[in-house]
């Protein structure tokens, strides 16, 4: 991989013969695990300006209609997180001469607080082409990492490394984006209320229109007329989403089942589930361009006319092979193809089967093999091991999708971001209903593995030793579960939810998991942390296998001003609607832990949580406890279900109330400032 320095440039054709479709990754880390930033892309013409506001792609406008740009979202890395952007350079309009890749921070944060800033560039097969490590970004809230530009009809890349003190607004304004400072942008825009029928929404029903709200913290730092008020670039394009409210059904009997586009009642065997699930998914991908592009852009597929096929037959030795599906995307005479292998109901992928498909793909010129199953892929721990013949000139990329990720992307589109029309929204709604049905077999990761029970028994009897391979297997299953929790919660909330990786820089993922396994053997606990966008603090999840309890918690910093008793009373007021069994622990300077008690006991006596020695209060830890399921699977007594329920309860009964209280206080402060 080519390492670049600030100001360096290189032609993409010199890096790869398949550089028409590339993916840019912007990565960073922070010591607290809370550091984050938002990526943005600007398409510039010969004047160095955007043609219109539609050429500015950010969290409210993530995908280009022609597929040339697609913000793919964040993925966790051992050191932090990486935000990926897919580019189909062959689809970029001819009057665009430069493509600027930038990122911005908010709430007064700057890039100098982040570590390991780096831009990476990979081609359509996933092979690394170049990287640009940023040594010192400085005290800036917006930063241009690099840019693509045309020279003599070919694309080149330049490592820029330029910061903006004026943030996203200043950066966007410099490139000709019109900034909207209207006060009416404080909340989401919705159309008039519509009557909605239950069940499937027919395409002829008028849907409410929604534009995602701006970040409240994004204000002009350079003192404009609207200083102090939310500001965002205008995005004229509005998208259709399905309504969340449902009217009472007209059915004569509540036991009647609504007619579904994709029925699940007749599925009786694993083969039927695999065949039906593959056909349902691939057909919706072909019919809903936004959804199809979202799932394939990260695999290097261009934006174009997509066709999908199932139960195909391809020659392979004495007997033909029948992959579950084929995806073909055509654009401007260029064809991108991929074989699809599907598993449902928790059935594992078979290495020999995937190996055969990889060999067929290499011989027939296919670009990729895509596996799809209930399992969640982990970095450094592939679900299947295959051998790639290095003597072949044609390279085949192996990619994996989990059913949980498919459901997440569908939910993000129809509930939060919107699609092109009501018919597409209805199709995605039917797909999501199918995937979430118990009989579909597409529920996601649902089994902690064969090592789960022996490890629990070994911890209970204190016979589990460090270095036991079964402990490593359990930590991998735990990491898969946490990533699925992030996908599910993020889809429901419409926010980025990512696992926090607190690891030494450059640590190999397998080494990190081995260390986690050793801690599991010593302490008998599994621990994970989740970072939710626009949420104060980090949600921690601890499964104590010795006591059989799950602990969900969050640490909140204490307000800087006020007497200790005022801080305690303010917290109790914020938690007025929280459950009585919520545990509150005071965090004090130095020793860390202070007095603790349940909310039920502290409501009448907030002073009981104050340190008796007058130590300085630096924060509070809020925790809920729940009994841990004993089974390894998703049954009523299952561990996986108990983790889902614990996270849902903590978010709904604790975090949501804190967010609402903070939102009301922030709005009141804004009004007071205006007065």
């Amino acid at each position: 991989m080519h390492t670049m320095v600030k100001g360096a440039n290189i032609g993409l054709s010199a890096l790869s013969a398949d550089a028409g479709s590339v993916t840019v990754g912007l990565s960073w880390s922070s010591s607290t695990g809370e550091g984050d930033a938002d990526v943005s892309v600007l398409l510039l013409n010969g004047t160095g300006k955007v043609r219109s506001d539609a050429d500015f792609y950010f969290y409210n406008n993530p995908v280009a209609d022609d597929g040339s740009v697609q913000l793919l979202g964040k993925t966790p890395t051992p050191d932090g997180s990486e935000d990926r952007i897919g580019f189909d350079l062959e689809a970029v309009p001819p009057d665009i001469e430069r493509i600027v890749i930038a990122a911005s921070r908010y709430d007064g944060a700057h890039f100098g607080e982040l570590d390991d800033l780096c831009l990476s560039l990979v081609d359509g097969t996933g092979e690394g082409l170049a990287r640009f490590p940023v040594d010192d970004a400085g005290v800036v809230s917006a930063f241009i990492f690099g840019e693509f530009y045309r020279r003599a009809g070919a694309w080149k890349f330049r490592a820029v490394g330029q910061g903006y003190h004026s943030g996203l607004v200043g950066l966007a304004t410099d490139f000709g984006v019109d900034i909207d400072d209207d006060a009416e942008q404080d909340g989401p825009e919705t159309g008039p209320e519509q009557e909605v029928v239950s069940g499937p929404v027919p395409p002829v029903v008028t849907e409410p229109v929604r534009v995602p709200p701006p970040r409240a913290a994004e204000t002009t730092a350079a003192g404009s007329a609207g200083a102090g008020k939310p500001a965002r670039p205008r995005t004229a394009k509005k998208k259709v989403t399905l309504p969340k409210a449902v009217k009472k059904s007209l059915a004569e009997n509540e036991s009647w089942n609504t007619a579904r586009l994709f029925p699940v009642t007749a599925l009786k065997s694993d083969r039927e589930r695999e065949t039906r699930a593959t056909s349902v998914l691939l057909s919706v991908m072909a019919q809903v361009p936004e959804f199809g592009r979202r799932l394939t852009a990260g695999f290097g597929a261009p934006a174009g006319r997509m066709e999908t096929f199932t139960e195909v037959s391809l020659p392979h030795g004495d007997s033909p092979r029948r992959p579950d599906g084929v995806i073909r995307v055509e654009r401007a005479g260029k064809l991108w193809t991929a074989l699809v292998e599907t598993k449902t109901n928790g059935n594992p992928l078979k290495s020999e089967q995937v190996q055969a498909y990889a060999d067929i793909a290499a011989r027939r010129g296919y670009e990729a093999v895509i596996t799809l199953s209930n399992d969640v892929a982990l970095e450094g721990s592939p679900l299947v091991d295959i051998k790639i013949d290095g003597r072949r000139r044609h390279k085949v990329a192996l990619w994996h999708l989990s059913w949980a990720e498919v459901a997440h992307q569908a939910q993000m589109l129809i509930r939060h971001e919107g699609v092109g029309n009501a018919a597409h929204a209805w199709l995605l709604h039917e797909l999501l209903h199918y995937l979430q049905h118990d009989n579909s077999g597409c529920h996601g990761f649902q089994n902690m593995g064969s090592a789960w029970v022996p490890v629990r028994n070994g911890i209970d009897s204190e016979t589990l030793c460090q270095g036991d391979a079964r402990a490593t297997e359990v930590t991998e299953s735990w990491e898969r579960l946490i990533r699925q929790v992030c996908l599910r919660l993020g889809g429901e909330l419409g926010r980025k939810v990512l696992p926090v990786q607190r690891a030494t820089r450059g640590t190999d993922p397998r080494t990190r998991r081995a260390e986690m396994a050793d801690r599991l053997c010593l302490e008998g606990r599994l621990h994970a942390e989740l970072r939710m966008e626009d949420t104060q603090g980090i949600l921690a999840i601890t499964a104590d296998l010795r006591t059989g309890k799950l602990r969900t918690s969050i640490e909140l910093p204490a307000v800087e001003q006020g007497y200790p008793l005022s801080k305690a009373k303010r917290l109790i007021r914020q938690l007025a609607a929280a459950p009585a069994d919520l545990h509150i622990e005071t965090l004090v300077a130095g020793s860390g832990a202070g007095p603790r008690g349940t909310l039920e006991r502290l409501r009448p006596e907030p002073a009981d949580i104050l340190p008796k020695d007058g130590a300085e209060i630096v924060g509070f830890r809020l925790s809920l406890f729940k009994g841990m399921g004993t089974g390894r699977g998703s049954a009523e007594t299952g561990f996986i279900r108990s983790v889902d329920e614990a996270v849902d309860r903590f978010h709904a009964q604790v975090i949501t109330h804190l967010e609402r209280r903070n939102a009301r206080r922030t709005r009141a402060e804004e009004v007071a400032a205006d007065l």
Side-chain angles (χ1 to χ4, degrees):
M1 183 183 295
H2 186 75
T3 300
M4 305 182 69
V5 297
K6 184 176 179 179
N9 61 77
I10 192 169
L12 297 185
S13 59
L15 299 175
S16 172
D18 185 23
S21 177
V22 296
T23 300
V24 170
L26 302 183
S27 59
W28 44 73
S29 65
S30 67
S31 57
T32 64
E34 298 184 18
D36 200 5
D38 286 322
V39 302
S40 53
V41 174
L42 299 102
L43 305 187
L44 311 180
N45 59 20
T47 66
K49 303 289 185 180
V50 296
R51 299 169 302 177
S52 69
D53 292 349
D55 285 339
F56 182 40
Y57 299 97
F58 62 118
Y59 55 87
N60 275 6
N61 183 34
V63 181
D65 287 337
D66 58 11
S68 58
V69 180
Q70 180 168 349
L71 274 58
L72 302 173
K74 297 184 189 298
T75 56
T77 66
D79 301 330
S81 63
E82 179 182 58
D83 221 320
R84 298 182 303 133
I85 313 165
F87 292 96
D88 183 355
L89 297 177
E90 295 180 358
V92 176
D95 56 339
I96 295 298
E97 295 190 3
R98 292 167 56 201
I99 303 174
V100 173
I101 303 163
S104 58
R105 304 202 69 193
Y106 40 91
D107 290 340
H110 55 82
F111 279 93
E113 299 168 336
L114 298 178
D115 301 321
D116 310 323
L117 269 75
C118 185
L119 178 147
S120 60
L121 183 65
V122 300
D123 65 11
T125 66
E127 181 176 347
L129 303 179
R131 63 188 301 271
F132 169 40
V134 179
D135 295 329
D136 184 15
V139 186
V140 295
S141 55
F143 194 80
I144 297 178
F145 282 80
E147 65 179 11
F148 295 106
Y149 63 98
R150 295 187 199 259
R151 282 295 182 271
W155 283 104
K156 302 185 73 174
F157 176 78
R158 178 185 290 116
V160 177
Q162 175 186 346
Y164 274 75
H165 292 283
S166 53
L168 176 63
V169 173
L171 184 151
T173 303
D174 273 5
F175 291 112
V177 179
D178 186 16
I179 302 301
D180 185 357
D181 290 329
D182 296 338
E184 65 188 14
Q185 298 295 342
D186 286 347
E189 301 174 9
T190 57
E193 295 184 359
Q194 307 289 340
E195 289 192 350
V196 182
V197 296
S198 62
V201 182
V204 295
V205 176
T206 302
E207 303 289 353
V209 178
R210 175 184 181 272
V211 174
R215 293 191 184 281
E218 286 192 348
T219 57
T220 303
S224 64
K229 297 180 181 180
R232 70 171 179 88
R234 289 195 181 106
T235 51
K237 180 171 58 177
K238 297 185 178 182
K239 297 204 171 187
V240 176
T241 61
L242 285 178
K244 295 183 179 180
V246 178
K247 286 188 65 176
K248 186 176 180 180
S249 172
L250 298 177
E252 295 179 11
N253 191 307
E254 292 183 357
S255 65
W256 287 12
N257 292 320
T258 302
R260 314 297 325 191
L261 181 63
F262 309 122
V264 291
T265 54
L267 297 176
K268 301 183 182 301
S269 68
D270 287 342
R271 183 57 187 164
E272 288 178 345
R273 291 187 180 93
E274 289 179 9
T275 303
R276 179 75 61 83
T278 305
S279 183
V280 166
L281 173 62
L282 295 184
S283 63
V284 176
M285 287 174 61
Q287 294 301 316
V288 184
E290 300 96 326
F291 182 62
R293 285 203 300 264
R294 175 159 294 200
L295 292 183
T296 59
F299 302 154
R305 185 172 66 91
M306 179 181 292
E307 286 187 306
T308 54
F309 307 87
T310 61
E311 293 300 302
V312 298
S313 178
L314 297 173
H316 182 67
D318 296 333
S319 59
R321 289 281 183 167
R322 298 181 183 277
D324 292 310
V326 169
I327 301 174
R328 298 167 66 89
V329 183
E330 182 183 12
R331 181 175 183 85
K334 179 181 178 181
L335 188 64
W336 182 92
T337 53
L339 299 178
V340 180
E341 170 61 13
T342 303
K343 295 295 181 184
T344 59
N345 218 35
N347 293 318
L349 294 163
K350 299 177 181 179
S351 296
E352 63 276 9
Q353 197 172 30
V354 179
Q355 180 71 66
Y357 295 149
D359 293 340
I360 293 173
R363 287 199 305 270
R364 300 181 68 86
Y366 283 65
E367 277 69 30
V369 173
I370 301 173
T371 57
L372 183 61
S373 72
N374 300 77
D375 278 327
V376 179
L378 300 179
E379 183 182 8
S381 182
L383 295 173
V384 290
D385 291 317
I386 66 170
K387 297 179 180 179
I388 302 297
D389 190 345
R391 296 171 296 179
R392 294 186 184 274
R393 296 184 60 184
H394 182 75
K395 295 180 295 184
V396 176
L398 178 63
W399 303 98
H400 179 75
L401 270 176
S402 68
W403 287 113
E405 185 173 354
V406 173
H408 167 81
Q409 298 293 359
Q411 197 164 19
M412 289 294 292
L413 280 172
I414 63 174
R415 286 302 180 201
H416 308 291
E417 298 174 9
V419 292
N421 58 53
H424 290 171
W426 178 64
L427 280 173
L428 284 175
H429 179 267
E430 289 295 292
L431 170 66
L432 191 60
H433 178 272
Y434 178 87
L435 296 178
Q436 294 177 338
H437 195 282
D438 290 339
N439 203 28
S440 71
C442 305
H443 324 113
F445 177 71
Q446 292 290 305
N447 196 304
M448 289 295 290
S450 58
W452 175 245
V453 174
V455 166
R456 290 194 62 169
N457 292 339
I459 290 175
D460 187 56
S461 62
E462 298 186 2
T463 58
L464 187 66
C465 302
Q466 294 186 37
D468 193 320
R470 296 174 300 179
T472 303
E473 183 180 335
V474 167
T475 58
E476 289 184 351
S477 296
W478 170 251
E479 188 172 342
R480 289 189 170 95
L481 172 58
I482 294 302
R483 294 199 180 201
Q484 179 165 289
V485 168
C486 291
L487 289 170
R488 182 182 57 81
L489 190 60
E492 293 174 0
L493 302 178
R495 306 184 202 168
K496 299 169 187 172
V497 181
L498 293 171
V500 176
Q501 303 284 10
R502 299 185 186 271
T504 306
R505 179 180 179 181
T507 302
D508 181 77
R510 289 168 292 189
T511 302
R512 175 172 54 82
R513 294 183 191 111
E515 294 173 353
M516 290 176 58
D518 288 344
R519 288 197 298 270
L520 172 62
C521 296
L522 290 174
E523 304 171 1
R525 291 193 294 268
L526 294 166
H527 182 75
E529 295 176 321
L530 310 184
R531 181 174 65 245
M532 292 181 285
E533 185 183 32
D534 298 333
T535 296
Q536 186 181 25
I538 290 178
L539 173 60
I541 311 168
T542 302
D544 194 326
L545 276 62
R546 287 176 175 164
T547 62
K549 285 188 177 181
L550 279 168
R551 174 177 182 160
T552 46
S553 62
I554 192 170
E555 292 185 8
L556 302 176
V559 294
E560 296 181 359
Q561 299 179 346
Y563 294 103
L565 183 58
S566 299
K567 297 178 181 180
K569 288 182 177 180
R570 183 180 293 110
L571 177 66
I572 300 302
R573 287 197 300 270
Q574 284 184 292
L575 299 171
D581 61 337
L582 178 68
H583 284 242
I584 303 177
E585 179 182 2
T586 304
L587 304 178
V588 298
S591 60
R596 66 186 70 183
T598 63
L599 183 59
E600 183 179 27
R601 184 173 68 83
L602 294 173
R603 274 173 175 155
E605 296 294 340
D608 288 351
I609 205 171
L610 301 180
K612 305 305 180 185
D613 57 359
E616 179 188 359
I617 299 176
V618 296
F620 301 95
R621 181 184 292 116
L622 314 180
S623 305
L624 282 177
F625 294 87
K626 182 185 186 305
M628 192 169 65
T630 56
R632 66 181 184 179
S634 60
E636 290 297 332
T637 58
F639 173 72
I640 293 175
R641 177 162 296 189
S642 64
V643 172
D644 285 336
E645 292 173 350
V647 171
D648 289 346
R649 184 192 180 209
F650 193 83
H651 182 270
Q653 300 186 12
V654 180
I655 294 178
T656 299
H657 297 303
L658 291 173
E659 289 175 342
R660 289 173 180 170
R661 185 82 180 188
N662 289 335
R664 288 195 296 269
R665 187 174 69 248
T666 301
R667 184 57 183 159
E669 291 171 352
E670 290 177 356
V671 173
D674 290 339
L675 296 176

